[in-house]
Every structure is written in structure tokens, then in C-alpha cells.
Amino acid sequence: MVSFVDPTSALNQLQNQLTNKELPLVRSFSRTDLFVLRDEPNQKPRFTYLSIEKSTIRSIAMFVLVEPYQGLPCFQVGYAVAESYRNKGLATQTVKAAINELVHGLSIHRLSPVYLEAVVEADNTASQRVAEKT
């Protein structure tokens, strides 16, 4: 199993990289404010979707490929919202859009359906609500 990176920490690191123009981002097919970054930590594919407004990352949704679940490819999902953008429904919007993008991209390569597993802290009720909605 891949150890999952704390999404809030990842958002802050990605913001620094974006500010320094170090991110090889690809624009999503469906939204002008959504970008994807693909990498392979520990030789496991990771897709990070970033909602960006005027060079500021508002939110991210990360999908890390882990061991299959019931024969399906399984992605652990984590998400974070920059503090100044919280409590506006942005996490739900970003996760839903990212799922749509991920499934679309995987279907092109005939890799769907997939199983998604939210990684949520037990005491984070806001994050639990996002997982329930998406």
C-alpha cells in the first residue's frame, strides 16, 4: 500500500511549485479552472487535480492507485481546500469534477470501472460530508 500524502500539506507544496512555475500541468477537458498533474511516487500512478484561480490553488483532489478491490483498480482519494476558500462547497465541486476527469481519462484507455476509497480523518466531519456527497 502507498502511504498517502496529507492533502493539505500537498496543496501548500504545490502552491509553492506553481508560484515558482515548476508544475507541468495539463488543463482538464471539461473546466477551464481545473488542471491535472500526473506523477508516480513509489512507482504507483497518482493523479492530482487542482482548481486554480489567478495563480492560486483553491483546492485539490488526489487519486493514488493502490491494491485492487474486488478485482477492480482502486484509487485512494484525498482532498484539501486552501483556508481562504473553505466552507463554500469547493471541495465537493472539485472532487466531483476530478472524478469525472479521472473516469473519462481511464475510459479512453479502457481502464474503467474503478473503485474509489476516500481517505478521511475520523474527526473531520466536513471531509466526511464531501465523501458522502461524491
Side-chain angles (χ1 to χ4, degrees):
M1 176 175 286
V2 175
S3 59
F4 203 81
V5 175
D6 171 44
T8 301
S9 175
L11 186 150
N12 294 330
Q13 291 174 6
L14 290 166
Q15 181 61 62
N16 289 336
Q17 291 176 310
L18 180 65
T19 299
N20 294 327
K21 300 181 184 341
E22 299 170 345
L23 287 180
L25 298 174
V26 175
R27 189 178 301 273
S28 78
F29 79 92
S30 64
R31 287 181 38 180
T32 59
D33 68 327
L34 192 67
F35 296 82
V36 64
L37 173 65
R38 184 188 185 283
D39 61 354
E40 291 192 13
N42 304 316
Q43 290 75 47
K44 294 285 187 179
R46 176 173 59 191
F47 300 89
T48 304
Y49 295 87
L50 304 91
S51 172
I52 300 175
E53 179 180 77
K54 297 179 183 175
S55 299
T56 299
I57 299 173
R58 301 182 313 160
S59 59
I60 65 169
M62 299 180 346
F63 299 81
V64 178
L65 186 65
V66 294
E67 295 300 316
Y69 178 78
Q70 296 184 354
L72 295 176
C74 180
F75 286 89
Q76 286 186 338
V77 183
Y79 35 87
V81 176
E83 194 169 332
S84 60
Y85 291 95
R86 292 182 183 162
N87 301 313
K88 299 177 183 177
L90 189 56
T92 300
Q93 292 173 19
T94 301
V95 172
K96 283 182 177 181
I99 289 170
N100 184 40
E101 293 282 332
L102 179 70
V103 170
H104 175 77
L106 294 175
S107 68
I108 291 171
H109 299 286
R110 300 176 193 253
L111 296 174
S112 59
V114 297
Y115 184 82
L116 302 177
E117 174 182 75
V119 179
V120 180
E121 290 186 18
D123 61 347
N124 189 337
T125 56
S127 189
Q128 290 170 8
R129 284 193 306 274
V130 172
E132 291 168 0
K133 291 177 185 178
T134 57

